[in-house]
Amino acid sequence: MDLVSPGIGLIFWTSLVFIILMILLRVFAWKPILTMVNKRNDSIENALKQAEIAREDMKKLQTDHELMMEQAKQERDKIFAEAREMKEQLMQKAKDETDKMVTKMKADAKAEIEGQKQAAINELKQQVAEISIDIAEKILKSELEDKKKQEAMVNQLLKEVELN
Amino acid sequence: MKGKILVFFGLLLASGMLFASEPHENEAQDEDFNVTDFVMNHIKDSHNWHILEYTDKTGKAHAVSIPLPVILIHEGKPVCFMSSKFHHGHAVVTKNGNHYFLHEGTIYVTDENGTIEESYDEEKEATVIVNEKPMDFSITKNVAGMFVTALIMLLVFISVARAYKKRPGRPAGLQGFMEPLILFVRDDIAKPNIGEKYERYLPYILTVFFFILINNLLGLVPFFPGGANITGNISVTLTLALFTMIATNISGSKAYWKHIFNAPGVPWWLKFPIPIMPVVEFIGILSKPFALMIRLFANITAGHIIVMSLVAVIFIFKAIGMSAISVPFVLFIDVLEILVAFIQAYIFTLLSCLFIGLAVQSDH
């Protein structure tokens, strides 16, 4: 029976000890401990949030970077393509000009050659005529040296005329 | 830390609290070993803190114990003396012309020879002691044990609080050990059961949890400064349960009181003219802390009785060989009791939070 009948003394002392303990711990332990824990939790949460923001920024930066890279690549390709086109145009133009020049030169040369040839032919003709006249003169001179031959000749010629 | 412990024991010795009592005849030498007395002596509160007992060469038994102050209120006046004056219930103490005698753990007012008068009570059908009992406010073993617990708690938690100031970052050492416990009480016991207003009750909840836990654990330590069966004492658990009851009813919201006096959803004839429901609800106010009181008391006391009984087996058989069986069992129960110490502290705190939470809720 003693075991389950509470005594006033122990109740009094338990209350006293417990209340004093609770007040002391509340002031010197629970308050500072929980304040610090909360503060730390807040700071951790803050840090996590900041990290998340930084990560997002990083991601954005990366996307931007990739976009820029893509643009640069396109730009480069465009420049390359343009350069190639320009080169081809230039080459075509140069080729055309060269062709034209060659054709012209060829024509010029042909004309020149033709001219020279004509001139040569004309000269040759003249020379041939002169040589022919010389030969004819010489022949006539030699033919008409004696009288008989001259008479025969004249007769001959006359005959031809009469026949006509 | 070592220094602090040394200072503590130094003070203890310097204050002259330790003493060896005068040898007295060992009456129990040839008697049969009384298991009930052996167990109950440990379970019950005591006016001195028994440390050890030994028998010297002449066959005389000596008891080494710490005397504790006896504070009585008799005839409206306080009477104080050290419990060593009782010589373990062998001497009558005379103060202010009154004689006090310690009989089976209770102090009675007696004549100068310490006569305990017994008479047969017809109602109770048992012999009762008719001697007058003065109001006993003594610093008993349990009170002293509570002082030790309070001291430990103050030392531990104030040093933890200091550690937070010194090192606000990652907790280490004692701080690292206590923090999960503190946060467990806050986040898993108080917060989900009390609700939004949990912060108001945190100092009480945390204090009651660690008070019960440390008392439970100290109760398992068989030597000084442990060994006081504090949470296995009905007065202590009654007081703690009373605190929860006060906290519950002080913080009772309108809805809580309405539920008690005029429970919604209950037919009117259960409330008027015979207020059956209010009476039932009112009993609920009392039965909740009553359950808390009994649960903690019974669990801790039962554990101690089992341990003491198993130890008693050795003395019953008067054979040291029995310890081969007894000690492993005691060890097993002790380990179990450590678990129980945590569980009971948890349950008491959890239910306190639940009761407070139910009272705080404004409406559902």
Side-chain angles (χ1 to χ4, degrees):
Chain A
M1 200 55 212
D2 228 16
L3 199 62
V4 287
S5 47
I8 181 81
L10 202 48
I11 291 174
F12 167 77
W13 285 110
T14 309
S15 312
L16 193 75
V17 168
F18 190 82
I19 288 170
I20 291 172
L21 184 67
M22 187 164 78
I23 291 167
L24 285 179
L25 284 179
R26 184 201 156 95
V27 175
F28 295 110
W30 305 137
K31 227 174 199 172
I33 290 173
L34 292 173
T35 316
M36 289 309 280
V37 167
N38 284 342
K39 222 189 248 173
R40 199 182 58 203
N41 279 4
D42 286 351
S43 85
I44 289 171
E45 213 150 288
N46 251 347
L48 282 175
K49 234 179 251 166
Q50 295 272 322
E52 189 62 36
I53 290 168
R55 200 180 303 140
E56 220 115 281
D57 281 1
M58 197 71 189
K59 224 176 185 177
K60 215 174 128 202
L61 229 71
Q62 212 158 12
T63 332
D64 283 3
H65 180 73
E66 265 168 26
L67 213 76
M68 262 164 72
M69 283 289 280
E70 193 59 40
Q71 274 177 352
K73 216 168 153 190
Q74 275 176 3
E75 196 95 340
R76 193 195 62 186
D77 285 354
K78 208 171 129 197
I79 289 170
F80 273 177
E82 271 176 9
R84 200 174 296 131
E85 207 176 325
M86 219 159 148
K87 186 191 86 182
E88 263 162 27
Q89 265 178 8
L90 275 170
M91 271 172 76
Q92 194 61 44
K93 212 171 151 192
K95 204 177 149 198
D96 283 357
E97 262 172 33
T98 319
D99 280 0
K100 228 190 251 169
M101 226 148 106
V102 168
T103 320
K104 202 185 154 210
M105 272 165 81
K106 267 189 190 163
D108 282 1
K110 224 175 178 177
E112 180 90 20
I113 290 165
E114 204 61 39
Q116 294 282 347
K117 198 172 113 186
Q118 211 56 49
I121 289 170
N122 287 345
E123 209 171 323
L124 205 65
K125 265 185 188 166
Q126 214 178 327
Q127 276 184 2
V128 169
E130 273 175 19
I131 291 166
S132 307
I133 291 167
D134 279 354
I135 291 168
E137 206 180 69
K138 274 173 188 165
I139 292 168
L140 275 172
K141 262 179 188 171
S142 65
E143 284 292 313
L144 294 172
E145 259 172 41
D146 63 83
K147 267 266 199 215
K148 267 181 185 167
K149 273 183 187 179
Q150 276 178 8
E151 279 172 4
M153 178 75 176
V154 172
N155 289 342
Q156 178 79 31
L157 283 166
L158 278 168
K159 247 188 215 173
E160 272 169 33
V161 172
E162 275 172 41
L163 278 165
N164 283 344
Chain B
M1 198 61 212
K2 225 179 212 172
K4 272 182 194 162
I5 291 167
L6 278 177
V7 166
F8 178 67
F9 281 107
L11 279 172
L12 206 71
L13 290 168
S15 63
M17 286 170 87
L18 271 169
F19 87 118
S21 75
E22 285 153 48
H24 57 84
E25 297 295 333
N26 193 352
E27 299 131 356
Q29 190 81 61
D30 300 310
E31 276 174 31
D32 274 342
F33 177 72
N34 190 333
V35 185
T36 314
D37 277 358
F38 174 74
V39 174
M40 283 305 148
N41 271 341
H42 166 79
I43 300 299
K44 283 200 292 197
D45 204 358
S46 150
H47 280 90
N48 48 38
W49 201 323
H50 195 86
I51 290 178
L52 59 92
E53 205 166 304
Y54 63 93
T55 312
D56 64 15
K57 281 172 195 163
T58 56
K60 279 179 177 172
H62 297 258
V64 179
S65 57
I66 297 167
L68 299 164
V70 173
I71 302 162
L72 303 171
I73 294 182
H74 186 213
E75 291 163 346
K77 275 181 281 179
V79 181
C80 301
F81 53 90
M82 291 308 273
S83 68
S84 51
K85 288 194 173 167
F86 282 127
H87 295 305
H88 302 277
H90 295 282
V92 180
V93 176
T94 309
K95 278 265 159 152
N96 304 335
N98 287 313
H99 308 285
Y100 303 101
F101 188 65
L102 181 68
H103 175 72
E104 287 171 355
T106 311
I107 296 168
Y108 296 97
V109 182
T110 60
D111 57 14
E112 56 202 355
N113 299 319
T115 318
I116 297 292
E117 289 164 44
E118 286 177 340
S119 77
Y120 190 77
D121 193 316
E122 296 287 337
E123 274 176 51
K124 287 181 186 169
E125 295 177 351
T127 42
V128 286
I129 294 163
V130 291
N131 287 61
E132 191 193 346
K133 277 193 272 186
M135 289 239 274
D136 191 352
F137 285 94
S138 306
I139 308 290
T140 56
K141 183 181 172 187
N142 280 349
V143 178
M146 264 187 293
F147 288 163
V148 172
T149 305
L151 205 71
I152 290 172
M153 281 176 78
L154 286 173
L155 279 176
V156 167
F157 290 110
I158 289 174
S159 83
V160 167
R162 278 218 193 105
Y164 273 103
K165 259 174 210 156
K166 234 192 293 174
R167 188 178 43 230
R170 194 176 61 87
L174 185 65
Q175 182 195 9
F177 180 75
M178 294 320 284
E179 188 183 302
L181 282 175
I182 296 170
L183 292 186
F184 170 73
V185 173
R186 188 188 70 169
D187 297 337
D188 292 325
I189 300 179
K191 227 185 231 172
N193 290 307
I194 299 179
E196 283 169 25
K197 295 170 187 164
Y198 77 96
E199 266 175 21
R200 257 181 75 191
Y201 304 97
L202 260 187
Y204 170 65
I205 295 301
L206 282 167
T207 312
V208 89
F209 177 82
F210 286 105
F211 187 73
I212 294 174
L213 178 64
I214 293 172
N215 275 330
N216 285 350
L217 291 175
L218 275 182
L220 295 176
V221 179
F223 44 82
F224 183 83
N229 181 24
I230 300 164
T231 38
N233 188 296
I234 197 95
S235 307
V236 175
T237 60
L238 171 86
T239 313
L240 294 177
L242 220 59
F243 278 125
T244 293
M245 186 175 123
I246 292 167
T248 307
N249 289 299
I250 276 182
S251 50
S253 62
K254 244 184 214 167
Y256 170 76
W257 289 112
K258 195 187 165 202
H259 201 90
I260 286 168
F261 290 114
N262 187 15
V266 173
W268 64 270
W269 48 267
L270 277 176
K271 305 170 194 166
F272 185 84
I274 311 159
I276 297 170
M277 272 314 282
V279 166
V280 169
E281 290 284 353
F282 207 79
I283 291 168
I285 294 179
L286 298 172
S287 68
K288 281 173 190 168
F290 188 79
L292 279 183
M293 167 182 88
I294 295 295
R295 184 179 296 107
L296 183 58
F297 160 75
N299 271 286
I300 302 305
T301 303
H304 283 233
I305 290 175
I306 293 171
V307 170
M308 293 309 285
S309 306
L310 284 169
V311 172
V313 166
I314 302 168
F315 299 97
I316 294 166
F317 284 90
K318 286 181 181 164
I320 194 86
M322 278 312 289
S323 59
I325 299 163
S326 173
V327 168
F329 269 110
V330 171
L331 195 64
F332 171 72
I333 296 294
D334 264 340
V335 172
L336 200 71
E337 282 303 300
I338 291 172
L339 188 70
V340 170
F342 277 92
I343 289 172
Q344 288 309 318
Y346 170 68
I347 288 184
F348 192 99
T349 320
L350 182 80
L351 288 176
S352 293
C353 287
L354 209 69
F355 297 155
I356 293 170
L358 284 174
V360 168
Q361 269 172 15
S362 49
D363 248 322
H364 18 233

